[in-house]
Amino acid sequence: MATDMQRLVGMGEDDEEMGMGMKDDDDEDADYDENGGEHGNVSGMVEIDGGSGMGTGAGDNRFQQHHEFQEQVGTPGGGNRRSRPVEEKERTKLRERRRRAITARILAGLRRHGNYNLRVRADINDVIAALAREAGWVVLPDGTTFPSKSQGQMPAGGNSAVVTSSSSHVPSQQPPSVSLKGVASGYGSPLEYNACPMKDVFIPSPSPYDLSSTSRSQTSMVGDGEAQRDNPPLIGGSIDTINEKQTADITPRLPERDFAGSPYVPVYVMLPLGVINIKCELVDPDGILKQLRVLKSANVDGVMVDCWWGIVEAHAPQEYNWNGYKRLFQMVRELKLKLQVVMSFHECGGNFGDDVCIPLPHWVAEIGRSNPDIFFTDREGRHNPECLSWGIDKERVLRGRTAVEVYFDFMRSFRIEFNEYFEDGFISMIEVGLGPCGELRYPSCPVKHGWRYPGIGEFQCYDQYMLKSLRKAAEERGHTIWARGPDNVGTYNSQPHETGFFCDGGDYDGFYGRFFLNWYSQALVDHGNRVLSMAKLAFEGSCIAAKVSGIYWWYKTASHAAELTSGYYNPCNRDGYAAITAMLKRNGVNLNIACVDLHTFNQHESFPEPFADPERLVWQVLNAGWDVGLPVVSENALPCLNRVSYNKVLDNTKPINDPDGRHFSSFTYLRLSPLLMERPNFIEFERFVKRMHGEAVLDLQV
């Protein structure tokens, strides 16, 4: 039943059009009766205290209201539904419609003209919270509000106790410790109440910036690059319990850790995707040279560049053209910068953030036209030419070669062509592409097939070669009927609770589900093992890295559906990254994990925060790697331009209070762009590089 406050505000017209939260007439009448007709609405009105700027309600008089309610129900005219005239019912409906219309106009005006970030089903609590933030106040998830004047005592008494999220600990230097839960109860779907318990992993105390509910970040990317905006946490509970006793002074200048004297972590900058064109020519060498010099002035250690299979071996098998890369590498070496190189065996273009189009080699595309099963295929039979299916890793379908042999020949050609750069240590690391976007995962979320964040994606195992492997696994298990993909998994944009496979208690945890997911995830691990073992031969003695994707949406549900379709068998009762890190350890490969710059609070306004947890995902993967002794390198998932994002990267790179004193081996900034070169942004970037190098900065906020 809606609260009195929410019934006063009503629902917006856009909600009615979308069919969201629309009460039927009988429910409206029932609510009217239960609240004593119009008296229930009047008693629930909110008074705004102009002196303190805080919302106060009639919560202290609830017992009296309840007594009055009982008296109204007991009287002949007190709201007995069966005796109420039809005309009174109609008047009630009309009043509700008017309230909704007025509320819709208010919220629309605040969104359009005031630029307020209000959710679709906003109520008076959200409006008051937004106004309080605009005035510079701090609003906690439980509704507690206090001014931002100094870092004084936190609210005490009332409803100031906040549920602590294990992914956001308050730094030890801030007494008393407080941490925030991203979304409080009261606005959730059933999934919020069925959120799974979190895996036990070491989580370092994050930056005080994690506590800022008013911070803003730039346009961001998730997964393959989905654009997002930083939003404050939703406000839960009632504002009735807020009073002047709960206010305290908080400083807007949040303290920073002092990284002076901390371990030196090299910083690299990823060059633009189109620095080498499709003809393998260096684009705008003068412009690149100027930008490299600017990076050198900031004491950046080096740069990273993609070596595209679709450019170098574009026209015929084993005919390699390295001309553009030779010129670029020579330019970088003359500036005495280091170089990291990515062996990119995937297609560029079609995903969020891709500003160039680099397809797979032409001769591979010709083979695909006659045999489309060399590409990953979904349940509907749609083929994805973003990368080759792992089903042909050992199938001689590429002009007499297997996919693994094609990858090895490419890597060996690179090693021979640039041997001198390896010998003098100029090339510091080789990252081997293992799937879409260079990441070890299935292309389960293809934008070209209609996927949009936060869809769960689809399994990609329906080409003839993957199905052949599945049939073999089912026969070995003794259940030939299991030689199929699950048929109740929804579509690319489904949510877990909408499917029979991924919902709580769904088939993913049944006998067949466990068999299928074990096979599906093991195929991912086997593919990585095959390609990386070849990379060890081609780049013997060199530092090699492999990238694990950060599929963090739906992380707080029991099934972790988006991770399952990507090949990470990581439900709440199983560590899906242990097998991957063990495979990387066997091959002596560094672990690269992205999204170390993401805050759990930074979620899209349309999607509740409890479903996603990039911070906890990062630390689960990091702990899985560090447990087996893997060196860890990293990169950002979003364009980092502000201090909040940089501090998040620093806190993950050099964890505070880590008992073993571990830190990343290097960090790669994505990516070089005109926006980064703007003076204010570059000054902030220079400051970040100094702190990564363990140098002191003069403007440290303490």
Side-chain angles (χ1 to χ4, degrees):
M1 182 181 69
T3 64
D4 294 338
M5 182 66 63
Q6 291 169 325
R7 296 200 315 110
L8 171 66
V9 175
M11 306 295 292
E13 290 180 328
D14 52 348
D15 293 352
E16 294 184 52
E17 294 173 358
M18 297 172 62
M20 298 176 57
M22 179 63 179
K23 294 183 180 180
D24 58 26
D25 295 341
D26 291 337
D27 290 340
E28 291 175 2
D29 296 341
D31 286 353
Y32 181 93
D33 294 335
E34 292 172 358
N35 288 280
E38 293 187 58
H39 298 288
N41 289 329
V42 173
S43 64
M45 293 186 65
V46 172
E47 176 185 358
I48 303 300
D49 186 350
S52 64
M54 300 179 60
T56 61
D60 296 335
N61 299 321
R62 285 177 178 171
F63 178 80
Q64 180 180 354
Q65 293 174 10
H66 179 72
H67 180 69
E68 294 175 356
F69 164 76
Q70 296 291 346
E71 292 180 350
Q72 292 169 358
V73 172
T75 60
N80 189 324
R81 175 171 183 149
R82 293 174 181 171
S83 62
R84 196 160 53 134
V86 177
E87 294 80 2
E88 185 176 352
K89 292 183 180 180
E90 292 301 324
R91 287 197 298 271
T92 301
K93 296 175 186 177
L94 181 59
R95 282 194 296 269
E96 291 297 328
R97 293 191 185 100
R98 287 174 179 171
R99 291 190 186 101
R100 293 175 184 174
I102 294 172
T103 302
R105 294 189 188 99
I106 293 173
L107 297 181
L110 288 171
R111 293 189 187 101
R112 185 177 303 112
H113 304 296
N115 198 29
Y116 283 91
N117 189 15
L118 300 173
R119 60 193 180 95
V120 174
R121 300 181 66 181
D123 62 9
I124 193 65
N125 292 348
D126 296 314
V127 175
I128 293 175
L131 292 172
R133 292 194 189 96
E134 183 72 17
W137 289 55
V138 176
V139 183
L140 297 184
D142 67 343
T144 304
T145 308
F146 44 86
S148 300
K149 294 181 181 178
S150 65
Q151 189 72 25
Q153 295 180 350
M154 296 299 292
N159 191 24
S160 60
V162 184
V163 181
T164 302
S165 170
S166 56
S167 65
S168 297
H169 297 275
V170 173
S172 57
Q173 66 267 27
Q174 289 190 5
S177 61
V178 176
S179 57
L180 307 181
K181 186 175 181 181
V183 176
S185 60
Y187 296 110
S189 71
L191 275 173
E192 292 187 40
Y193 302 99
N194 297 327
C196 68
M198 298 305 164
K199 299 179 177 65
D200 293 329
V201 296
F202 165 72
I203 306 289
S205 298
S207 165
Y209 283 85
D210 291 346
L211 299 180
S212 173
S213 64
T214 57
S215 60
R216 297 290 183 267
S217 69
Q218 67 285 352
T219 302
S220 62
M221 310 286 294
V222 297
D224 293 344
E226 174 66 13
Q228 288 195 334
R229 288 182 299 177
D230 180 20
N231 294 314
L234 298 178
I235 304 303
S238 172
I239 63 174
D240 292 0
T241 59
I242 300 175
N243 55 58
E244 59 276 3
K245 296 180 181 180
Q246 293 177 289
T247 62
D249 293 337
I250 296 295
T251 178
R253 291 174 57 86
L254 295 169
E256 298 179 286
R257 284 176 56 194
D258 185 2
F259 290 95
S262 62
Y264 184 102
V265 176
V267 177
Y268 292 77
V269 176
M270 172 70 85
L271 296 182
L273 292 171
V275 65
I276 304 293
N277 64 21
I278 199 68
K279 298 179 180 178
C280 203
E281 300 170 339
L282 179 60
V283 177
D284 190 18
D286 293 335
I288 288 294
L289 181 59
K290 290 179 182 178
Q291 292 178 323
L292 291 176
R293 286 173 176 165
V294 174
L295 293 178
K296 180 66 176 179
S297 70
N299 293 321
V300 167
D301 296 88
V303 296
M304 176 182 272
V305 64
D306 289 278
C307 279
W308 294 100
W309 180 34
I311 291 177
V312 176
E313 196 181 0
H315 303 292
Q318 296 181 281
E319 291 185 7
Y320 306 104
N321 177 11
W322 299 103
N323 292 336
Y325 292 103
K326 290 179 181 178
R327 187 175 180 186
L328 175 63
F329 291 1
Q330 183 63 33
M331 185 183 299
V332 174
R333 185 163 71 166
E334 288 175 355
L335 292 174
K336 297 183 179 180
L337 292 169
K338 297 283 188 177
L339 184 66
Q340 294 178 337
V341 182
V342 183
M343 301 284 102
S344 297
F345 297 110
H346 62 281
E347 173 188 77
C348 180
N351 286 319
F352 295 104
D354 291 347
D355 53 5
V356 297
C357 181
I358 304 173
L360 297 185
H362 299 311
W363 60 273
V364 173
E366 291 178 0
I367 296 173
R369 280 190 283 271
S370 59
N371 182 14
D373 282 333
I374 67 173
F375 303 123
F376 282 105
T377 308
D378 63 18
R379 188 159 51 96
E380 300 297 325
R382 290 169 292 195
H383 305 286
N384 186 352
E386 190 173 353
C387 60
L388 296 179
S389 168
W390 302 335
I392 64 170
D393 277 357
K394 297 186 290 185
E395 299 284 344
R396 296 190 175 277
V397 295
L398 301 176
R399 305 282 178 89
R401 292 186 295 167
T402 66
V404 170
E405 290 173 343
V406 170
Y407 303 145
F408 174 72
D409 290 341
F410 182 87
M411 292 185 288
R412 181 176 57 181
S413 173
F414 179 85
R415 180 67 172 81
I416 294 172
E417 192 69 39
F418 299 102
N419 183 60
E420 60 177 306
Y421 294 145
F422 283 94
E423 292 181 350
D424 64 11
F426 167 64
I427 296 179
S428 61
M429 188 180 76
I430 298 292
E431 183 177 301
V432 180
L434 298 172
C437 298
E439 300 166 341
L440 179 59
R441 65 173 176 86
Y442 289 87
S444 58
C445 302
V447 175
K448 64 182 65 179
H449 289 166
W451 174 85
R452 294 296 182 269
Y453 178 84
I456 60 177
E458 290 190 18
F459 292 113
Q460 305 290 315
C461 59
Y462 294 92
D463 61 83
Q464 61 172 310
Y465 305 103
M466 292 293 287
L467 289 176
K468 175 183 175 182
S469 172
L470 179 58
R471 283 194 297 270
K472 181 179 178 181
E475 291 171 359
E476 291 175 352
R477 182 68 179 271
H479 299 286
T480 56
I481 193 174
W482 287 354
R484 57 176 177 81
D487 55 5
N488 57 346
V489 293
T491 61
Y492 284 111
N493 293 311
S494 295
Q495 299 185 10
H497 63 278
E498 298 172 344
T499 72
F501 192 83
F502 298 114
C503 65
D504 288 356
D507 292 346
Y508 79 92
D509 202 27
F511 290 109
Y512 162 72
R514 292 196 296 270
F515 159 78
F516 174 80
L517 292 172
N518 268 305
W519 166 81
Y520 191 73
S521 60
Q522 189 60 45
L524 174 144
V525 175
D526 292 342
H527 166 74
N529 185 61
R530 285 190 289 265
V531 178
L532 291 175
S533 62
M534 294 294 101
K536 281 176 56 181
L537 294 177
F539 303 118
E540 185 177 1
S542 300
C543 177
I544 303 173
K547 186 176 179 181
V548 175
S549 184
I551 308 295
Y552 59 80
W553 50 101
W554 306 113
Y555 186 87
K556 289 187 177 180
T557 58
S559 64
H560 293 223
E563 292 173 86
L564 297 187
T565 59
S566 298
Y568 303 137
Y569 188 10
N570 190 49
C572 64
N573 59 352
R574 186 181 190 276
D575 187 353
Y577 299 96
I580 295 174
T581 55
M583 178 272 293
L584 298 180
K585 180 65 175 179
R586 288 196 303 271
N587 289 283
V589 173
N590 290 6
L591 169 65
N592 183 1
I593 173 66
C595 69
V596 294
D597 56 317
L598 299 186
H599 296 255
T600 296
F601 288 153
N602 295 4
Q603 305 304 320
H604 195 283
E605 61 181 340
S606 299
F607 310 108
E609 183 273 336
F611 302 155
D613 196 341
E615 292 171 300
R616 180 158 290 275
L617 171 64
V618 166
W619 285 104
Q620 182 190 350
V621 177
L622 286 180
N623 279 277
W626 277 337
D627 283 347
V628 297
L630 279 180
V632 176
V633 299
S634 188
E635 60 190 41
N636 53 298
L638 322 180
C640 284
L641 295 171
N642 60 47
R643 191 166 298 184
V644 174
S645 298
Y646 286 135
N647 281 329
K648 184 64 179 176
V649 173
L650 282 160
D651 286 330
N652 284 328
T653 301
K654 305 175 184 182
I656 190 172
N657 298 333
D658 180 40
D660 300 311
R662 296 170 295 196
H663 57 84
F664 291 176
S665 300
S666 68
F667 175 78
T668 301
Y669 177 89
L670 269 64
R671 68 183 64 244
L672 180 62
S673 67
L675 193 59
L676 176 63
M677 292 291 104
E678 293 180 3
R679 181 171 176 76
N681 295 333
F682 195 76
I683 290 175
E684 197 65 44
F685 175 73
E686 282 185 298
R687 183 182 187 275
F688 165 71
V689 173
K690 287 181 180 179
R691 303 184 75 197
M692 291 289 281
H693 289 170
E695 301 176 16
V697 294
L698 299 178
D699 61 339
L700 187 68
Q701 297 179 6
V702 293

